[in-house]
């Protein structure tokens, strides 16, 4: 079973939108972590992470993104990445993460779960 098939809420009121501007690295993930954790406090929610402006991706950024994914899914929610960057596409392919982390074309697709 692909990890992309984990059921998750998809209604817009339960969606939290976050953005990475600059590098997708450990520091960027640490800045997102409190908001991601808070998003699950009142029940499962979808967290949308826009990486369109991520200008580079580090190994620690990928590891952190996977940790955020674990946090959200363990609470019954889902983390969905929007706006593929070249660095993220390369990292997803190299690390064989294409079945774990989906990248959606935009907000509407992410909320609907349409890859």
């Amino acid at each position: 079973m692909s990890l992309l098939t984990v059921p998750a809420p998809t209604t817009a009121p339960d969606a939290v939108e976050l953005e990475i501007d600059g590098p997708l690295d450990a520091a960027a993930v640490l800045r997102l972590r409190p908001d991601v954790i808070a998003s699950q406090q009142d029940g499962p929610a979808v967290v949308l992470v826009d990486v369109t402006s991520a200008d580079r991706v580090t190994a620690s950024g990928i590891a952190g993104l996977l940790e955020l994914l674990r946090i959200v899914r363990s609470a019954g929610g889902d983390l969905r990445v929007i706006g593929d960057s070249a660095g993220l596409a390369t990292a997803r392919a190299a690390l064989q993460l294409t079945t774990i982390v989906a990248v959606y074309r935009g907000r509407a697709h992410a909320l609907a779960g349409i890859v």
Side-chain angles (χ1 to χ4, degrees):
M1 178 173 113
S2 167
L3 293 176
L4 294 177
T5 60
V6 174
T10 58
T11 57
D14 295 326
V16 174
E17 298 182 44
L18 304 171
E19 183 178 354
I20 294 178
D21 187 20
L24 170 52
D25 58 8
V29 172
L30 284 174
R31 285 190 298 274
L32 296 181
R33 196 171 196 275
D35 291 329
V36 169
I37 292 170
S39 73
Q40 305 303 303
Q41 295 300 319
D42 294 329
V46 174
V47 177
L48 306 177
V49 178
D50 189 338
V51 297
T52 305
S53 298
D55 55 11
R56 83 185 150 86
V57 179
T58 67
S60 62
I62 293 295
L65 194 61
L66 292 174
E67 175 62 10
L68 295 179
L69 179 68
R70 185 201 62 78
I71 290 167
V72 173
R73 286 190 176 166
S74 69
D78 199 13
L79 185 138
R80 299 179 183 176
V81 179
I82 300 171
D84 206 1
S85 67
L88 184 57
T90 301
R92 285 179 65 233
L95 298 171
Q96 299 178 354
L97 299 174
T98 54
T99 60
I100 298 171
V101 179
V103 176
Y104 297 86
R105 289 182 282 186
R107 182 182 189 281
H109 285 95
L111 289 173
I114 301 169
V115 180

